[in-house]
Amino acid sequence: MKLRSKLLLSLLVAGIALCLALIFAGRWSSPGRHSDAAYVALLNEAYAAVVQNYVEKPDAKKLVQSMVDGMLSALDPHSAYLPPEPYHEMEVQMAGSFGGIGLELGTKDGRLTVIAPIEDTPAFRAGIQGNDHIYKIDGTPTERMNISAAVKLMRGEPGTPVVLTILRGDSPQPRTFRLIRAIIRVKSLKSRLLEPGYGLIRITQFQERTGDEFSQALQGLRAASGGKLKGLVIDLRYNPGGLLESSVQVVNNFIGDDAAKTLIVSIRGRSPDATQNFQASLGPKEPHYPIVVLINGGSASASEIVAGALQDHHRAIIMGKQSFGKGSVQSIFPLRDKGALKLTTARYYTPSGRSIQAKGITPDIEVGTRGPMADKDAGKGAELREKDLENRLEPSGEERDAEVEPTTPRGAKKGAADTARDYQLSRALELLRSLDLMREKGVAAMP
C-alpha cells in the first residue's frame, strides 16, 4: 500500500513538473515559434507589471511613448516616433522654416553626433562641425538620449539661449557653445553665374518648392547669359536630402526627351504600396549643355537620387567625394495622439538598378580639397556616413565594396575670388570650360 502511494505521488509530481515544463517551454521557446499575438501579450504583461508594481506610479503616456521609442530604435537609425511637436516642426521644416539652431543629427558609437550644420544658422556661424559629439545640452548629458529627445531640447522660442557642450576629435577637453535660437529659414537653393555662360545652382535641401525654384533658377541663369548656357554646376555638397518628389522634379528638367529612358528612381519595399517607379515626363527638356554635379560625404538621400539619376543617364559628370550612402525611404504614419511614426519602408535604386544604401554615389572624378579650404578641414576626422550609424540597413544584395572616407569643405562661397578658393568648384568650372572648348573645336569624344 505504501509502495503504491509513493508511486502515485511520484507520478503526480512528475505530471506537475511536465505541465510546468510545457508551460514555460511555450512561453520561452525560440522566437521563431512565437506568434505576433504572443509578443504583444508579452508587451502587455510587462506594461501591467510596471504600472502595478513600480516603486512610484509611472506616467502612462511617457511609459507608452518610451516603449514605442525602444521598438523603433531597434530597427534602423531613421525610424522614429515623432511626438506632436517634433512632428509639426518636421512639417514646417519641409515647408522651408522652423525654430531651432540648425543641426543635422545622427548617432555614432552610441553618441549623439553632428552630421552637418545647416548653412546660415546659429550652429553654422558658431563653428560647429560635422562629426562633433554633443556631450550635453543645457547641462543635460546626452548619453542614451535619442535624436527626437535631443531635438526637443534644442528647439525653443527664437531669441532664447541653448548651451551645447561638445567633444571634437580626440581632444578630451570639451568645448562650450552658447547659441541663440532663431527661426531657421532653410533656403532651398541659391544660384549665380560663375562667369558668362556658366551657371551654379547650389541646393541646400529638397523642400516642397525646390522643384519650382530650380526651374526658375535655370531660367534666370539662362537670361543672365544672353539666352544660352554653356554649362552648369549643380552643387549638392552637404545637402542632407529632403523630399523625394522634389528631387524627381529637379532631374525632370534634364531627363525625358527619350521615351525609352525616363526612369529617375525606383523604390522597393516589402508591401506593394512601398514599390514604385518615378518616371520623367516626356517633352522638351534643357539643352544638352555639360553638367557637373558636386557631392561629398554630407550629400545624402534625395541628393544621391539626383546624382545617381544624372550619372546613370550620362547627363552629368559627378565630381567630389563619396556621398553619405542613405539609400532608404521613410514614410510618415500619423497617429491618434497627433504624433507620427517615421518608418523606413523601402530602399531606393538608381535607374541602372544600383542600391547606394551604406555605400553612396562614387564620383566619376574624385576631387578633394586644397588651399585655405583644406587648411580649415585639417585635423577633422572622417565625416559621419550612413555605414557608421547604428542599426543601419545593410546594402542591398552583396553590394559591400570598400568606401572612401571624405574630408570636404563646408560649401561654395559667393564671388569669383571665393570660387578660386573652393578647389572643387574651380575644378568643376575648369572641366565645363574644357568640354565647351572641345565642342567648339569639333573634337570628338574618345570611344
Side-chain angles (χ1 to χ4, degrees), residues 98-103 105 117-118 120-125 128 134 137 154-156 160-164 179-184:
F98 62 97
I101 57 176
L103 286 176
L105 300 175
I118 299 172
D120 299 327
T121 64
F124 183 89
R125 290 189 290 268
I128 294 176
I134 301 178
I137 304 172
M154 293 183 195
R155 299 287 172 88
T160 60
V162 58
V163 177
L164 301 186
L179 307 174
I180 302 299
R181 295 182 179 95
I183 294 295
I184 308 299

Side-chain angles (χ1 to χ4, degrees), residues 69 71-82 105-108 115 146-148 324-326 328 330 342-344 357-358 384-394:
D69 280 336
M71 175 177 65
L72 294 174
S73 65
L75 299 176
D76 71 282
H78 308 294
S79 295
Y81 166 69
L82 301 175
L105 300 175
T107 55
K108 181 179 180 181
I115 293 177
N146 61 37
I147 293 176
S148 296
F324 184 77
K326 181 182 177 294
S328 60
Q330 282 68 49
K342 184 178 71 168
L343 192 64
T344 299
Q357 172 60 25
L384 185 67
R385 301 272 299 285
E386 174 77 11
K387 69 181 183 63
D388 300 317
L389 300 180
E390 296 177 357
N391 295 333
R392 51 89 170 155
L393 292 177
E394 289 297 321

Side-chain angles (χ1 to χ4, degrees), residues 197-199 218 228-234 254 286-293 314-317 428-439:
Y198 299 98
L218 285 174
K228 182 180 179 180
L229 281 175
K230 295 180 180 180
L232 176 69
V233 177
I234 302 175
F254 307 102
E286 283 290 299
H288 277 247
Y289 47 72
I291 300 173
V292 174
V293 177
H314 306 290
R315 188 61 186 88
I317 294 173
L429 179 57
E430 179 185 336
L431 178 59
L432 290 177
R433 291 196 199 107
S434 300
L435 293 172
D436 186 56
L437 180 61
M438 291 178 66
R439 183 187 58 79

Side-chain angles (χ1 to χ4, degrees), residues 141-436:
T142 61
E143 185 180 7
R144 300 189 186 90
M145 183 182 293
N146 61 37
I147 293 176
S148 296
V151 168
K152 188 172 182 179
L153 288 177
M154 293 183 195
R155 299 287 172 88
E157 290 295 322
T160 60
V162 58
V163 177
L164 301 186
T165 305
I166 280 176
L167 294 175
R168 178 171 296 168
D170 296 328
S171 174
Q173 189 65 31
R175 305 180 184 212
T176 301
F177 293 83
R178 186 178 186 273
L179 307 174
I180 302 299
R181 295 182 179 95
I183 294 295
I184 308 299
R185 303 189 186 281
V186 181
K187 298 176 182 177
S188 177
L189 58 82
K190 300 176 184 178
S191 63
R192 64 183 175 94
L193 286 181
L194 296 170
E195 60 182 53
Y198 299 98
L200 166 68
I201 301 180
R202 170 166 171 72
I203 306 176
T204 56
Q205 189 180 37
F206 289 89
Q207 302 171 359
E208 290 178 1
R209 288 188 47 78
T210 300
D212 292 336
E213 291 175 359
F214 188 87
S215 298
Q216 293 167 8
L218 285 174
Q219 294 176 14
L221 291 172
R222 193 161 43 243
S225 298
K228 182 180 179 180
L229 281 175
K230 295 180 180 180
L232 176 69
V233 177
I234 302 175
D235 190 350
L236 300 178
R237 292 174 296 178
Y238 287 109
N239 182 324
L243 298 178
L244 181 149
E245 291 79 3
S246 295
S247 69
V248 170
Q249 290 172 3
V250 167
V251 177
N252 190 60
N253 288 278
F254 307 102
I255 305 300
D257 50 3
D258 184 344
K261 299 178 180 179
T262 61
L263 182 61
I264 294 176
V265 64
S266 60
I267 61 173
R268 305 174 201 168
R270 194 158 58 93
S271 70
D273 293 341
T275 299
Q276 188 176 355
N277 291 332
F278 291 84
Q279 309 280 354
S281 60
L282 291 174
K285 302 295 175 176
E286 283 290 299
H288 277 247
Y289 47 72
I291 300 173
V292 174
V293 177
L294 288 176
I295 61 172
N296 66 6
S299 307
S301 192
S303 296
E304 294 168 304
I305 289 175
V306 172
L310 295 178
Q311 187 179 49
D312 281 3
H313 283 287
H314 306 290
R315 188 61 186 88
I317 294 173
I318 311 303
M319 179 181 286
K321 302 291 285 184
Q322 193 91 357
S323 64
F324 184 77
K326 181 182 177 294
S328 60
V329 178
Q330 282 68 49
S331 301
I332 301 298
F333 296 87
L335 300 175
R336 65 179 64 185
D337 69 343
K338 298 185 179 179
L341 293 184
K342 184 178 71 168
L343 192 64
T344 299
T345 54
R347 288 181 174 89
Y348 70 76
Y349 297 80
T350 69
S352 66
R354 289 182 295 160
S355 168
I356 61 91
Q357 172 60 25
K359 284 191 61 181
I361 296 293
T362 301
D364 300 305
I365 303 175
E366 186 174 314
V367 178
T369 55
R370 293 184 184 178
M373 298 301 289
D375 293 339
K376 183 182 293 186
D377 287 337
K380 288 174 63 177
E383 293 189 17
L384 185 67
R385 301 272 299 285
E386 174 77 11
K387 69 181 183 63
D388 300 317
L389 300 180
E390 296 177 357
N391 295 333
R392 51 89 170 155
L393 292 177
E394 289 297 321
S396 177
E398 297 301 321
E399 300 178 22
R400 293 176 174 84
D401 298 339
E403 300 176 77
V404 179
E405 296 290 352
T407 303
T408 47
R410 284 185 179 274
K413 303 292 183 181
K414 292 182 179 179
D418 289 322
T419 301
R421 294 208 312 268
D422 186 338
Y423 180 68
Q424 292 172 317
L425 182 57
S426 64
R427 281 288 304 275
L429 179 57
E430 179 185 336
L431 178 59
L432 290 177
R433 291 196 199 107
S434 300
L435 293 172
D436 186 56

